[in-house]
Amino acid sequence: VMVNILPTYGLVLTANGSGSIVADPFPGPYASNTVVTVTANPAAGWQFDYWTGDASGNANPVAVTMDGPLNVQAVFVQVAYPVVATTAGGGSVSVSPVQANYLSNMVVTVTATASNGWTFLGWIDNASDTNNPLSLTVNAPESLAAVFGTTVNTNVIGGGVIELNATNPIPYGTIVRATGMPNYGSYFVSWGNALSGTNNPAEFTVTSTNPVRALFTTLPANSAALTVRINGEGDVFVSPPKAYYAVGDSVTLNGTPRGTTNQFISWSGDFVSTTNPAILTLNTSKVVTANFSALVLPPVITSSLTETEIGRAHV
């Protein structure tokens, strides 16, 4: 009795790009000299280009003879691309024609439509432009966002004004700092509409067309108001915190930079100093500005010397 045992081999299929590969028959391992049909199936927006590894050419499907362990790779190339158009808010964005993917070099139209009270300001991300509608030639995946802005109005009750650290129109989602600046003889009481509370200065995120309102009222006799302005990225903590103080009271000002990339620089306005924390005596109403700036990091010095040259330098 003669027994002829045929060896068996494994077949590894790999997709390079976006797609899948199937073998028929499936699964392995396969007896020696079995002919396997391998088919490449590109994903949407992709096409099969060629075989590599233990197969070659661009015929699809391709037949491979299992004369040993084989590794067949299919290479896919992208021929259609997505276009993603978004906005943080303040309006809407549309793409025409509406498709999941667009063939290379196809021209699409992207239109931004502002909501009531908002204005289209421009495009960001892949498209830095102000044209609206925007004609976009697609030759890669495209992602762009429409920026809408609004005019943040201010109104006051009593004697004072409101300072904003941003210029109208202000983009949707911008964090704005508002400072209530009382006239001499008045003090800040509270915020209304887009802001609330009694913190001054205070910050709010521009997500609506609501104005910023501030209430001021007359100082009592023998009283003084303290107004803190902030220039840069930081906060000021006043101790004790009060709406107004008796003439002659002392307060402690502590300027705290935000994050690790900012630093406190100085006090200016009605109090000039670089001391922080600082003690301020209110012999009259005062406006004090805390100045912060970004840290200037030392340059990174790199060397092109080899290890041998570095060793010689040490010697």
Side-chain angles (χ1 to χ4, degrees):
V1 176
M2 296 182 63
V3 178
N4 186 14
I5 300 175
L6 294 177
T8 59
Y9 303 109
L11 174 62
V12 178
L13 303 175
T14 305
N16 184 353
S18 192
S20 61
I21 311 173
V22 295
D24 183 25
F26 179 85
Y30 301 94
S32 178
N33 292 319
T34 298
V35 176
V36 180
T37 301
V38 182
T39 304
N41 299 312
W46 293 70
Q47 72 178 16
F48 169 73
D49 196 13
Y50 62 90
W51 300 103
T52 186
D54 291 319
S56 60
N58 54 17
N60 188 31
V62 66
V64 294
T65 301
M66 299 300 301
D67 53 3
L70 299 183
N71 188 324
V72 175
Q73 300 175 28
V75 178
F76 299 95
V77 293
Q78 193 167 8
V79 293
Y81 307 96
V83 175
V84 179
T86 61
T87 180
S92 61
V93 183
S94 62
V95 180
S96 179
V98 179
Q99 295 177 198
N101 293 287
Y102 300 86
L103 292 175
S104 182
N105 293 318
M106 184 174 179
V107 178
V108 300
T109 302
V110 187
T111 304
T113 304
S115 300
N116 187 34
W118 296 83
T119 303
F120 172 73
L121 301 180
W123 303 99
I124 57 173
D125 295 335
N126 281 11
S128 298
D129 206 322
T130 57
N131 290 338
N132 188 33
L134 175 69
S135 293
L136 188 66
T137 301
V138 180
N139 49 34
E142 297 286 351
S143 175
L144 66 162
V147 179
F148 298 95
T150 188
T151 298
V152 177
N153 294 310
T154 61
N155 56 67
V156 300
I157 299 174
V161 296
I162 299 173
E163 288 185 353
L164 301 179
N165 71 333
T167 303
N168 287 317
I170 301 175
Y172 185 100
T174 302
I175 298 175
V176 177
R177 180 187 300 123
T179 306
M181 302 288 295
N183 296 339
Y184 190 81
S186 297
Y187 71 96
F188 170 82
V189 177
S190 63
W191 299 105
N193 282 14
L195 267 170
S196 61
T198 58
N199 290 337
N200 185 33
E203 293 181 345
F204 66 100
T205 303
V206 178
T207 57
S208 71
T209 58
N210 290 340
V212 179
R213 177 175 294 169
L215 172 62
F216 301 91
T217 193
T218 303
L219 273 170
N222 299 316
S223 298
L226 172 62
T227 303
V228 175
R229 302 174 68 250
I230 296 175
N231 177 24
E233 294 298 319
D235 299 283
V236 176
F237 298 94
V238 181
S239 180
K242 294 182 180 181
Y244 59 88
Y245 301 83
V247 171
D249 280 354
S250 293
V251 298
T252 300
L253 305 177
N254 189 351
T256 304
R258 293 182 179 178
T260 59
T261 59
N262 294 291
Q263 62 182 338
F264 172 82
I265 299 298
S266 65
W267 305 102
S268 60
D270 292 332
F271 178 65
V272 179
S273 176
T274 56
T275 302
N276 186 42
I279 298 176
L280 171 66
T281 300
L282 294 169
N283 48 19
T284 186
S285 293
K286 293 182 183 292
V287 178
V288 178
T289 300
N291 299 292
F292 300 89
S293 73
L295 283 168
V296 178
L297 300 177
V300 177
I301 300 175
T302 59
S303 174
S304 60
L305 294 177
T306 65
E307 291 185 4
T308 301
E309 290 171 325
I310 293 173
R312 290 173 181 170
H314 281 297
V315 173

